[in-house]
Amino acid sequence: MDYNKIEDAVFKKAMEFFKDNAVEFFGIDTKIVAPAETEIKNVDIKTNYTDYLFYTVDGNYLHFEFQTTDKKEDIKRFLYYDASLFYKDRRKIRTVVIYSADIEDAEIHIDAGSVNYKIEAFYMKNLNGDEKLEMLKNKIRNNEKLTSEDILTLSFIPLMSSKLSKSERTLEGIELANSIEDSEVKLKCLTLLYALFDKFGDKISKKRFKEVFSVTEIGKMIRDDGKSEGKAEGKTEILIKLLNKKFKKLSQEYEERIKNLPSENIELIANDIFDLEKVEDLEKYF
């Protein structure tokens, strides 16, 4: 992967690392060969993007979802995703849903008559976030090399069981990632946190994360004031991609309006991206 390439840098980094290490972390007996397109065309539901979708070595799909709530509608949404994917590509789909520590037991099966649908649930409540955090603190304090499993563990700390609140867990994870001396490892941790942040971030942790992330390699790219036209175009494109990921899909109208904004407005949106709660919040920048 080209780490100097601005286009889609944050999510490409997160997706690539997740692809290489997630199956081992979650104990899944398969091998991922490539990321797959997460947008599902022509699905008439509120959110038509899967969280993570990969091609596996046997020619099928491995589909991950991260859930911090247990809504009865969610499993029907996953069924809709998977049925749409099968209709489109005729590939089998294995769906693994990772539930945060707040969820102890979720619905994993739908009996729809001719259709029997079942997901695999991974409950983060079974992982002791306090113990994991202490272990990682000791490794980082002693300048020990972090393994791929350690990096995923640190990124998932906010979702694990803990005596702390979810907000406190998130802040602990951010601060620990920020204390890593190896800049490449730090960036891997922060980009994974970034990719999952809409799932568990609150206002306090989003504010702190924005402060930490803004001084990373990618954060600086986003905030670059674009001294040349080429840089300005790159900055606009990455902002549009980040907004598409955050809000699942920007309308063509919003994309065009953003492309026509002056550089200083682009920078303002990039700086405030974690504070935006709905796509309509962009209106104040036009």
Side-chain angles (χ1 to χ4, degrees), residues 52-113:
Y52 285 94
L53 187 66
F54 299 98
Y55 297 113
T56 53
V57 69
D58 56 6
N60 294 320
Y61 280 126
L62 180 59
H63 169 201
F64 287 99
E65 291 288 333
F66 287 83
Q67 289 295 117
T68 57
T69 59
D70 179 22
K71 298 176 183 175
K72 297 300 181 185
E73 294 298 306
D74 287 332
I75 191 168
K76 291 195 286 186
R77 176 164 55 89
F78 303 150
L79 168 59
Y80 206 167
Y81 288 159
D82 292 349
S84 301
L85 287 167
F86 183 78
Y87 180 82
K88 179 170 70 78
D89 289 336
R90 297 297 188 272
R91 298 175 188 265
K92 292 182 179 180
I93 304 104
R94 182 176 180 179
T95 297
V96 181
V97 183
I98 293 92
Y99 289 100
S100 69
D102 304 319
I103 301 168
E104 297 186 0
D105 186 33
E107 186 176 357
I108 63 170
H109 175 251
I110 289 178
D111 181 356

Side-chain angles (χ1 to χ4, degrees), residues 10 26 35 43 57 62 117 126 129 167 209 211 213 274 277:
V10 174
F26 294 112
V43 178
V57 69
L62 180 59
Y117 176 71
N126 295 324
S167 178
F209 187 81
E211 294 167 354
F213 193 78
F274 293 112
E277 295 182 358

Side-chain angles (χ1 to χ4, degrees), residues 46-234:
K46 185 177 179 181
T47 302
N48 63 338
Y49 277 83
T50 62
D51 282 348
Y52 285 94
L53 187 66
F54 299 98
Y55 297 113
T56 53
V57 69
D58 56 6
N60 294 320
Y61 280 126
L62 180 59
H63 169 201
F64 287 99
E65 291 288 333
F66 287 83
Q67 289 295 117
T68 57
T69 59
D70 179 22
K71 298 176 183 175
K72 297 300 181 185
E73 294 298 306
D74 287 332
I75 191 168
K76 291 195 286 186
R77 176 164 55 89
F78 303 150
L79 168 59
Y80 206 167
Y81 288 159
D82 292 349
S84 301
L85 287 167
F86 183 78
Y87 180 82
K88 179 170 70 78
D89 289 336
R90 297 297 188 272
R91 298 175 188 265
K92 292 182 179 180
I93 304 104
R94 182 176 180 179
T95 297
V96 181
V97 183
I98 293 92
Y99 289 100
S100 69
D102 304 319
I103 301 168
E104 297 186 0
D105 186 33
E107 186 176 357
I108 63 170
H109 175 251
I110 289 178
D111 181 356
S114 297
V115 177
N116 269 288
Y117 176 71
K118 188 175 182 180
I119 62 168
E120 297 175 40
F122 187 98
Y123 296 104
M124 284 292 195
K125 73 178 183 63
N126 295 324
L127 299 181
N128 189 317
D130 296 333
E131 289 182 0
K132 301 280 188 187
L133 192 64
E134 194 58 35
M135 177 272 291
L136 290 168
K137 281 181 179 178
N138 288 330
K139 290 190 79 167
I140 292 170
R141 194 179 297 128
N142 295 324
N143 291 320
E144 295 180 37
K145 183 177 177 61
L146 295 186
T147 65
S148 296
E149 183 178 354
D150 291 334
I151 293 170
L152 277 177
T153 297
L154 178 51
S155 304
F156 293 146
I157 286 288
L159 302 177
M160 297 179 186
S161 63
S162 173
K163 294 177 182 177
L164 304 174
S165 68
K166 188 184 297 182
S167 178
E168 289 171 318
R169 275 178 278 161
T170 307
L171 288 169
E172 286 263 22
I174 293 168
E175 298 300 344
L176 189 55
N178 192 41
S179 70
I180 297 172
E181 292 188 7
D182 186 313
S183 59
E184 187 60 33
V185 174
K186 177 190 289 190
L187 194 56
K188 285 178 180 177
C189 290
L190 290 174
T191 50
L192 281 166
L193 279 167
Y194 189 110
L196 290 167
F197 219 69
D198 277 345
K199 292 287 182 179
F200 54 74
D202 59 14
K203 280 191 174 181
I204 297 173
S205 54
K206 284 181 179 179
K207 181 176 184 296
R208 178 56 185 145
F209 187 81
K210 182 171 70 174
E211 294 167 354
V212 170
F213 193 78
S214 66
V215 298
T216 65
E217 171 193 344
I218 303 297
K220 287 175 182 176
M221 290 179 186
I222 297 171
R223 293 168 57 85
D224 194 333
D225 59 5
K227 295 180 181 178
S228 69
E229 183 179 351
K231 285 185 178 180
E233 288 176 359

